[in-house]
C-alpha cells in the first residue's frame, strides 16, 4: 500500500530563514509526487510536481528515490509563505487518485 | 470559468439526518473525487469517479454514497449523519489520468454533526 508521511505538523521559522518541509513516501512502483498548498481561507492548489523539475514561488523539491523522500525547500522564507502544505503521491491504479500526507503548517514570523 | 464549485459551504446537521453535497465543474474533466480533511490526517479519499455514470470507493467510503449522473456533477450523500463525519469535505476534478495540471479543488464544505 502507498503511504505519504509528513513528520512535522507545524514548522515555524523567521522571515529570511531557510525552509525545508519533509515528505517521505512508500510505494512499490515508480512514484509521481506533488506538493499542494492551502493558504488561509483558500482552496488547495498545486505548487509543484516532481516531473516538472520547476521552481514555483522560490520553492523546489527533489525526488530522492534512495531515501524515498520529496522534501520541499526554499532558501529564504517570506511571510506570505505561511500556509498548509501537503505532499501527495499519485497511484497508477484505475482511478489515479492522489494519496496525501497529513500536512505541515508553515508559519513564517516577521 | 468557475472551476469547481461546492455547495453548501457550511452545514450543521443533527445525528441521523441526511444531506447531499454537490460538486459541479465546468472544465469538462473526466475524473472527480471527494475527500475529507481532518486535522493531522490530511485528505482522505471517500469516493471517486472516472467518468459519467461511474463511481468507486476510496479509502474511507463507509457512511457515504455518491452519484455521477452527469459528467459535470458529483454528488456526495450522507444517509444518516454521525458525529464522526464532522469534517471539511473537498471535491476535486482532473482532466485526465496524467494529472498534467494536477487536481482542481473546490473551496470545501464545512460540516458539523451534533
Amino acid at each position: 500500500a502507498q503511504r505519504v508521511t509528513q513528520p512535522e505538523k507545524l514548522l515555524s521559522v523567521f522571515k529570511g530563514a531557510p525552509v525545508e518541509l519533509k515528505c517521505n513516501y512508500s510505494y512499490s512502483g515508480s512514484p509521481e509526487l506533488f506538493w499542494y498548498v492551502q493558504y488561509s481561507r483558500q482552496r488547495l492548489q498545486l505548487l509543484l510536481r516532481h516531473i516538472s523539475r520547476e521552481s514555483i514561488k522560490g520553492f523546489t523539491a527533489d525526488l530522492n528515490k534512495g531515501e524515498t523522500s520529496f522534501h520541499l525547500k526554499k532558501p529564504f522564507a517570506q511571510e506570505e509563505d505561511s500556509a498548509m502544505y501537503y505532499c501527495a503521491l499519485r497511484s497508477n491504479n484505475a482511478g489515479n487518485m492522489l494519496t496525501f500526507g497529513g500536512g505541515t503548517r508553515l508559519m513564517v514570523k516577521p | 470559468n468557475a472551476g469547481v464549485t461546492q455547495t453548501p459551504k457550511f452545514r450543521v446537521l443533527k445525528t441521523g439526518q441526511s444531506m447531499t453535497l454537490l460538486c459541479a465543474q465546468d472544465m469538462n474533466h473526466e475524473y472527480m473525487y471527494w475527500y475529507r480533511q481532518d486535522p493531522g490526517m490530511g485528505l482522505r479519499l471517500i469516493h471517486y469517479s472516472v467518468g459519467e455514470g461511474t463511481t468507486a470507493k476510496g479509502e474511507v467510503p463507509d457512511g457515504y454514497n455518491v452519484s455521477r449522473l452527469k459528467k459535470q456533477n458529483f454528488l456526495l450523500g450522507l444517509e444518516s449523519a454521525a458525529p464522526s463525519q464532522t469534517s471539511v469535505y473537498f471535491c476535486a476534478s482532473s482532466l485526465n489520468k496524467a494529472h498534467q495540471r494536477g487536481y482542481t479543488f473546490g473551496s470545501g464544505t464545512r460540516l458539523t454533526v451534533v
Side-chain angles (χ1 to χ4, degrees):
Chain A
Q2 61 200 56
R3 186 179 178 88
V4 178
T5 303
Q6 294 179 248
E8 304 141 328
K9 286 186 168 50
L10 173 65
L11 183 63
S12 182
V13 301
F14 285 102
K15 177 182 174 182
V19 171
E20 183 179 53
L21 287 82
K22 293 184 168 52
C23 172
N24 291 93
Y25 67 90
S26 63
Y27 185 57
S28 57
S30 182
E32 186 174 356
L33 288 147
F34 302 78
W35 276 99
Y36 281 80
V37 60
Q38 186 179 27
Y39 300 104
S40 179
R41 300 178 183 172
Q42 294 187 26
R43 62 190 69 194
L44 280 88
Q45 56 187 282
L46 177 66
L47 183 60
L48 53 80
R49 309 163 65 206
H50 91 270
I51 62 174
S52 301
R53 300 191 64 80
E54 58 201 342
S55 174
I56 303 294
K57 298 184 179 182
F59 285 97
T60 59
D62 290 320
L63 178 62
N64 186 323
K65 291 186 178 181
E67 296 182 358
T68 60
S69 68
F70 187 56
H71 303 328
L72 184 68
K73 300 177 182 179
K74 185 170 184 177
F76 307 103
Q78 303 298 315
E79 289 181 69
E80 55 266 29
D81 296 328
S82 296
M84 196 74 182
Y85 290 81
Y86 291 97
C87 182
L89 171 73
R90 184 175 76 89
S91 70
N92 58 8
N93 63 18
N96 289 101
M97 69 284 288
L98 293 177
T99 297
F100 288 84
T104 298
R105 180 169 298 282
L106 174 64
M107 292 179 57
V108 182
K109 296 177 285 187
Chain B
N1 188 340
V4 177
T5 303
Q6 290 183 233
T7 53
K9 294 192 185 311
F10 304 94
R11 185 72 186 269
V12 178
L13 284 180
K14 293 182 179 179
T15 298
Q17 286 185 319
S18 63
M19 77 164 295
T20 300
L21 284 68
L22 171 63
C23 176
Q25 52 94 4
D26 60 2
M27 299 170 288
N28 202 35
H29 284 180
E30 289 292 336
Y31 291 65
M32 296 187 75
Y33 308 86
W34 275 107
Y35 284 87
R36 59 177 289 173
Q37 182 186 42
D38 300 292
M41 304 185 76
L43 282 80
R44 292 179 293 168
L45 183 66
I46 305 171
H47 285 280
Y48 66 96
S49 168
V50 300
E52 180 178 309
T54 74
T55 63
K57 294 180 180 179
E59 181 187 359
V60 288
D62 293 343
Y64 305 95
N65 57 75
V66 288
S67 64
R68 185 127 182 244
L69 299 179
K70 294 183 179 180
K71 185 177 184 178
Q72 63 267 35
N73 295 335
F74 194 30
L75 279 65
L76 178 71
L78 286 74
E79 291 185 347
S80 179
S84 61
Q85 294 178 304
T86 294
S87 187
V88 180
Y89 292 85
F90 285 99
C91 176
S93 70
S94 178
L95 177 64
N96 54 35
K97 290 174 66 173
H99 293 308
Q100 292 177 6
R101 298 180 187 174
Y103 283 5
T104 300
F105 279 89
S107 58
T109 296
R110 186 173 295 275
L111 175 66
T112 302
V113 182
V114 297

